[in-house]
Amino acid sequence: MSSPRQKISILGATGSIGSSTLDVIRSNPDRYEVFAISGFNNITKLHEIASEFSPSLIVVANQKKLDEFKALPPLQYKYEILVGDEGLCTASSMPEVDIVVCAIVGAAGLKSAYEAALHSKKILLANKEVLVTAGELFMKTVVKNRAELLPVDSEHNAIFQCLPPSETSFRLRKIDHLKKIHITASGGPFLRRPLDTFDTITLDEATKHPNWSMGKKITIDSSTMVNKGLEVIEAKYLFDLNLSQINVLVHPQSIIHSLVEYIDGSLLAQLGHHDMRIPISYALAYPDRISHNAAQFDISKLFGLEFMEPDFRKFPCLKLAYEALAEGNAACQIFNTSNEIAVDAFIKGKIKYMDISKIIAKQLETISQTKLTNIEDIIDFDLRIRELTSLSIN
Ligand code: NAD
Ligand code: MG
C-alpha cells in the first residue's frame, strides 16, 4: 500500500520561493498535497493557485484582501479562508499539516514560523529573517519540541548536503570534525562596478541579479550583500558555529552553492544550476531525492570558476553583519529590521542606494539593545526598530 500524501502549508505561496515550491509539488503529485496557502498583496495569483491546488485553507492579509478574494469567481470546492497573523499561525499549526514551508519575506514571517516549531512540524525554512531576528529562541524551540528544520536557502541547503547524514533528520547538533564553512556569494550586479559610481545606482540596476531570479527585497539585499550578511547569521544559528568558522567567498558564477571544510583538509561542495527547485526538493524529500523541472547541469560545460574575497569597502553591510553577530541577538535584529525599512525607503525613492548601509550602521550605533528572552519581546523590539528607523528617514 502506498503511503499517504504529505500535507503542506505554504506561507508566502505567491512569492518566488512559493512558486518554485508549487512547481516541485506539481512534479510529485503522489507524494505531496497543498493543505494551506497564504498571500499578501497578489490576490489574483493566490486565487489562481487555489484553483489549481484546492487547498483546504487560504490566508489573506486583512479584511480588504478577503473582500477582494471573494469578488473573484467562486472556487469549485469547499475551503476555509482566514486573515492576518492569526490565519498564518493556524496554517502552520493545524494537526493535519505535516510540512510548513516558511517563504514569507522579512520579519513578518517570524510568528508563524515560531508557531510551526512549537507544534513540532517539519519546517522548510526559506525565510532567513526568522533566524536573524530570533535565532537563539527559534533553534531552542525547534529542539525542545522535536520539530524538524530543513534549510532551503541554497547556501545552507548546500552545506546541509555536505554534512554527515543525521539518523533522524536535521536538528541542531554539534558537527564533528568540521573546521569551517565557506558560504559562496555571487557578488551581485555591482561586483565589478567601480566604487566611485555607487552614488548613482538606481532601483532598476539594483533589482537585476546576474544569476538568480528572486523577490524584490532579496534581490536588493544581494546587491548590497546584506543578503550574505543575513546568511552568515543564519548559518551561525543553524549549524551552531563560531564566527571564525564562517567564511564568505565570492564566486560570481553561482555554480558551487557552498563548501564545508573538515579538519583533515577535505573540502566538500554542492554544485548545480542556480534554481531554487533543487534545494526545495531536497528539503522536501530528505533523506530521499525527487525529480522536478529544473534543468540538469552539464558538468562537461564547467569551466572558468572564479573565487575571491569580498570587498568590504564596496559592501560595508557584510562587515556590519559580522559586527552585529559578534554583539548578539538584539544587534542582529537591528541589522535586519533597519535594513527592511531602508530597502523599502529605497524602493519608494525616499533615499539613495548608498544610504542603506549608512542607515543600518547608524541604527546599530544608536538603538539601545535589550535582552530578548521570548517571542513577545522580540516582536516588540522589531516594532521599536521599525518606528525609530522610519522616523530617522522621514
Ligand atoms: P517574494 O517577495 O517573491 O515573496 C514573498 C512572499 O511573502 C509573498 O507570498 C508575499 O505575499 C508574502 N508577504 C510579503 N509581505 C508579507 C507580510 N507582511 N505578511 C505576510 N506575508 C507577506 O520573496 P521570495 O524571493 O520568495 O523570498 C521569500 C523568503 O525566502 C525571503 O526571506 C528570502 O530571503 C528567502 N529566500 C529566497 C530565495 C529566492 O530565490 N527567492 C532564495 C533564498 C532565500
Ligand atoms: Mg541564499
Side-chain angles (χ1 to χ4, degrees):
M1 205 178 77
S2 63
S3 45
R5 298 192 300 169
Q6 291 186 287
K7 292 186 165 60
I8 308 181
S9 287
I10 308 176
L11 312 180
T14 53
S16 164
I17 292 287
S19 301
S20 297
T21 306
L22 288 164
D23 198 49
V24 175
I25 296 170
R26 201 178 273 122
S27 304
N28 292 276
D30 301 341
R31 292 183 74 122
Y32 307 111
E33 68 178 86
V34 180
F35 178 81
I37 55 171
S38 85
F40 199 62
N41 280 322
N42 194 341
I43 291 299
T44 313
K45 187 157 182 194
L46 193 68
H47 187 269
E48 270 169 31
I49 297 169
S51 309
E52 181 182 351
F53 290 92
S54 312
S56 306
L57 176 60
I58 299 169
V59 183
V60 294
N62 48 38
Q63 187 61 43
K64 190 166 160 262
K65 292 287 169 188
L66 178 64
D67 296 342
E68 219 180 284
F69 193 93
K70 293 213 160 138
L72 294 169
L75 293 170
Q76 300 304 310
Y77 72 95
K78 234 176 123 224
Y79 64 93
E80 192 181 354
I81 185 156
L82 297 174
V83 296
D85 251 357
E86 218 169 291
L88 292 172
C89 289
T90 304
S92 60
S93 64
M94 280 179 79
E96 294 93 322
V97 175
D98 300 300
I99 300 173
V100 180
V101 179
C102 297
I104 288 174
V105 60
L110 174 59
K111 213 163 171 205
S112 47
Y114 181 69
E115 200 68 20
L118 279 177
H119 287 83
S120 316
K121 300 298 183 193
K122 173 170 169 174
I123 302 166
L124 268 59
L125 190 69
N127 188 188
K128 62 193 86 183
E129 293 90 343
V130 169
L131 281 172
V132 177
T133 53
E136 235 171 84
L137 176 72
F138 186 72
M139 292 309 291
K140 267 190 203 151
T141 311
V142 165
V143 174
K144 185 170 168 211
N145 294 284
R146 304 186 75 75
E148 294 176 25
L149 181 57
L150 294 130
V152 165
D153 210 348
S154 58
E155 297 76 4
H156 306 72
N157 189 276
I159 291 161
F160 176 48
Q161 295 200 38
C162 297
L163 293 176
S166 114
E167 273 161 31
T168 48
S169 121
F170 180 66
R171 294 205 182 96
L172 182 64
R173 63 187 196 273
K174 257 294 178 241
I175 303 152
D176 293 335
H177 319 305
L178 179 119
K179 186 172 173 202
K180 55 164 70 172
I181 60 168
H182 301 273
I183 300 180
T184 53
S186 69
F190 307 133
L191 178 65
R192 300 183 208 272
R193 182 173 172 139
L195 178 58
D196 60 8
T197 69
F198 271 42
D199 252 354
T200 59
I201 288 173
T202 63
L203 177 62
D204 198 38
E205 289 170 328
T207 44
K208 284 200 181 88
H209 196 280
N211 303 335
W212 295 92
S213 154
M214 310 180 284
K216 205 172 200 171
K217 189 239 173 200
I218 185 178
T219 304
I220 296 171
D221 286 354
S222 298
S223 79
T224 56
M225 286 191 85
V226 159
N227 184 50
K228 219 37 64 177
L230 296 174
E231 291 180 357
V232 167
I233 302 170
E234 181 184 11
K236 190 250 171 321
Y237 290 112
L238 260 179
F239 303 116
D240 193 19
L241 302 170
N242 302 321
L243 250 171
S244 61
Q245 289 179 294
I246 310 171
N247 183 44
V248 170
L249 194 59
V250 175
H251 163 47
Q253 293 74 26
S254 301
I255 296 295
I256 294 184
H257 298 302
S258 279
L259 305 98
V260 176
E261 185 174 345
Y262 289 94
I263 51 172
D264 62 359
S266 292
L267 277 154
L268 302 195
Q270 186 256 348
L271 285 71
H273 269 303
H274 25 83
D275 186 320
M276 288 307 291
R277 286 173 291 194
I278 298 171
I280 291 168
S281 68
Y282 186 74
L284 262 180
Y286 178 82
D288 292 351
R289 291 196 184 251
I290 49 175
S291 54
H292 47 81
N293 290 323
Q296 293 292 307
F297 185 70
D298 182 355
I299 193 86
S300 69
K301 303 246 161 64
L302 186 67
F303 64 92
L305 297 189
E306 296 170 281
F307 301 96
M308 57 195 93
E309 298 288 317
D311 180 347
F312 287 134
R313 284 171 318 127
K314 275 188 182 172
F315 304 109
C317 293
L318 181 56
K319 189 153 176 281
L320 290 172
Y322 271 102
E323 287 166 6
L325 188 50
E327 280 189 55
N329 251 202
C332 293
Q333 214 182 333
I334 298 171
F335 175 81
N336 175 72
T337 305
S338 59
N339 174 63
E340 284 190 29
I341 300 295
V343 168
D344 188 55
F346 174 63
I347 292 172
K348 291 179 177 145
K350 290 186 187 169
I351 60 166
K352 288 170 70 175
Y353 183 78
M354 293 290 273
D355 293 332
I356 297 175
S357 60
K358 290 180 195 153
I359 288 167
I360 300 172
K362 183 167 162 245
Q363 298 309 87
L364 276 168
E365 223 178 272
T366 54
I367 298 180
S368 48
Q369 297 175 29
T370 44
K371 200 162 164 45
L372 305 162
T373 47
N374 56 46
I375 193 78
E376 288 77 24
D377 285 352
I378 292 171
I379 290 169
D380 284 351
F381 193 49
D382 181 73
L383 290 174
R384 192 147 72 83
I385 304 163
R386 270 170 215 282
E387 261 175 41
L388 291 171
T389 313
S390 302
L391 274 174
S392 78
I393 290 171
N394 293 321

